Amino acid sequence: MKNLSFVLLLFVFVACKQKPKPAGSVEETRTSGTVSMLVDESFSGVLADQIEVFKTDYPDTKFTIIEGNEQRIMPTFLNDSIRVIISSRMLTPEEDKIYRNRSIVPKTSRFAIDGIALITNKDNLDSNITVNEVVNILKGTSTSGKQLVFDNAYSSTLRYFKTLAGITTLPPKGIYTLQTNNDVIKYIAENKGSIGVVGVNWLIDNNKDMAGYLDRVKMMGVKNVKGKKGDDKFYQPIQANLINGIYPFLRNIYIINAEGRDGLGTGFATWLVSPRGQLIVLKSGLGPHKLSSRDFNFKNTN
């Protein structure tokens, strides 16, 4: 009798401790619940496509997306405000340690390959450039009179080229920064003497409002430095050249998940590298992380 009374008391205690779930709440799993994500604005298009299909497969999911340039969203990720980020770079050892000190191991997955396109005014006869020429402009040693125009001073695109040239500060001449990728496209459409620097994903997935400007620009061909892949001729950042790695200016797109639990962030990261997620990357015009065993045909747009 005493044992029965103890069991009943224990049952009442546990029942009181369990809080009822709010009405309409969804259980947090790999395919349900909510997740907040920081996104490098250069990759907003391809990510939107992925989320749209994912939500069709798994309707009990909600994504809160915070877009921004790389240098401004990374601190938000590191201070533990939001634990999932889409970026063109992996964490540095120091950044990785910040999370490991919280007993969380960040998981990084590459899910796509993006190219950085150089664009020029459609009326320009000169539509080719070498990697060496680009590096010389970045270092301030070029005598060509060409200038590079970037989206903004805090973007992942500009960081990529500073790393490529081995510089930490920009020269006083030859490099200009605006505010957005669309600003770059508009500027190049209206000015013949400059070269714009824009992610391929942004060019492919741009909205209809930019159609009039996109018709007035063209992608340049780029020749790599001697001894590296793509040093034999000038290549444009079409999809086939991204996949085979022959276009010189390539960058990876990563999802970094530091949720520290098996939730929606983990499920979405896994889905991005699944055959279904990779097919969406392929359809977006970018290079997938990996190709499945089936054969794909690519149209040559040269």
Side-chain angles (χ1 to χ4, degrees):
M1 188 69 178
K2 288 183 179 180
N3 288 339
L4 179 61
S5 298
F6 175 76
V7 170
L8 289 173
L9 286 171
L10 182 62
F11 176 79
V12 171
F13 175 76
V14 172
C16 291
K17 281 286 187 180
Q18 291 178 340
K19 296 181 180 179
K21 293 182 179 180
S25 65
V26 178
E27 182 183 1
E28 181 74 20
T29 70
R30 287 191 172 203
T31 55
S32 64
T34 63
V35 63
S36 295
M37 299 175 61
L38 294 159
V39 179
D40 185 322
E41 58 196 359
S42 299
F43 312 129
S44 58
V46 67
L47 186 71
D49 293 341
Q50 294 281 359
I51 291 175
E52 181 181 357
V53 178
F54 187 86
K55 287 176 67 67
T56 300
D57 290 350
Y58 307 106
D60 291 331
T61 55
K62 181 179 179 182
F63 292 80
T64 300
I65 304 301
I66 299 91
E67 295 181 14
N69 59 64
E70 183 183 85
Q71 287 192 35
R72 290 184 175 171
I73 63 173
M74 188 58 77
T76 303
F77 177 75
L78 295 176
N79 69 21
D80 207 19
S81 298
I82 297 175
R83 293 186 174 183
V84 182
I85 188 171
I86 304 294
S87 175
S88 65
R89 70 172 180 85
M90 297 187 292
L91 298 179
T92 66
E94 293 76 17
E95 291 167 342
D96 183 79
K97 189 175 180 181
I98 290 174
Y99 268 103
R100 290 178 184 269
N101 287 340
R102 302 175 188 144
S103 298
I104 296 173
V105 179
K107 297 179 181 179
T108 302
S109 300
R110 184 184 80 162
F111 69 93
I113 305 167
D114 187 26
I116 303 178
L118 301 186
I119 60 174
T120 187
N121 190 283
K122 198 168 186 178
D123 293 334
N124 283 342
L125 296 177
D126 187 6
S127 58
N128 289 325
I129 194 168
T130 68
V131 170
N132 283 333
E133 287 181 276
V134 173
V135 170
N136 288 337
I137 297 172
L138 289 161
K139 290 182 175 180
T141 59
S142 174
T143 58
S144 67
K146 296 176 181 178
Q147 57 187 31
L148 300 175
V149 182
F150 291 86
D151 48 353
N152 65 75
Y154 304 97
S155 72
S156 58
T157 306
L158 182 55
R159 174 190 58 78
Y160 173 97
F161 278 92
K162 288 170 71 176
T163 301
L164 174 73
I167 59 174
T168 55
T169 58
L170 298 174
K173 294 181 180 181
I175 305 294
Y176 296 91
T177 58
L178 302 177
Q179 295 296 319
T180 68
N181 286 285
N182 281 349
D183 288 338
V184 175
I185 296 169
K186 290 177 182 178
Y187 186 88
I188 299 304
E190 296 170 349
N191 296 273
K192 295 182 181 180
S194 300
I195 298 171
V197 187
V198 184
V200 171
N201 173 241
W202 192 271
L203 286 176
I204 293 173
D205 207 65
N206 221 297
N207 55 52
K208 294 180 181 179
D209 295 337
M210 293 299 296
Y213 294 101
L214 288 169
D215 290 341
R216 293 153 59 189
V217 303
K218 59 184 176 182
M219 290 191 297
M220 300 182 72
V222 183
K223 186 177 182 180
N224 213 341
V225 298
K226 189 175 181 180
K228 290 192 175 182
K229 196 172 184 178
D231 68 348
D232 57 330
K233 63 179 183 178
F234 295 90
Y235 291 94
Q236 289 187 341
I238 62 172
Q239 187 176 54
N241 292 341
L242 304 185
I243 292 173
N244 63 29
I246 206 165
Y247 180 71
F249 301 139
L250 298 176
R251 60 179 174 180
N252 295 321
I253 308 178
Y254 300 99
I255 180 170
I256 306 174
N257 176 21
E259 285 187 315
R261 56 189 171 85
D262 195 21
L264 181 56
T266 300
F268 185 63
T270 302
W271 189 84
L272 285 175
V273 296
S274 72
R276 189 158 168 77
Q278 291 295 284
L279 182 59
I280 296 169
V281 172
L282 196 65
K283 288 181 176 180
S284 75
L286 300 184
H289 166 64
K290 58 183 178 180
L291 291 173
S292 60
S293 57
R294 62 179 290 190
D295 293 327
F296 295 99
N297 294 319
F298 300 103
K299 291 182 179 180
N300 193 335
T301 59
N302 276 335

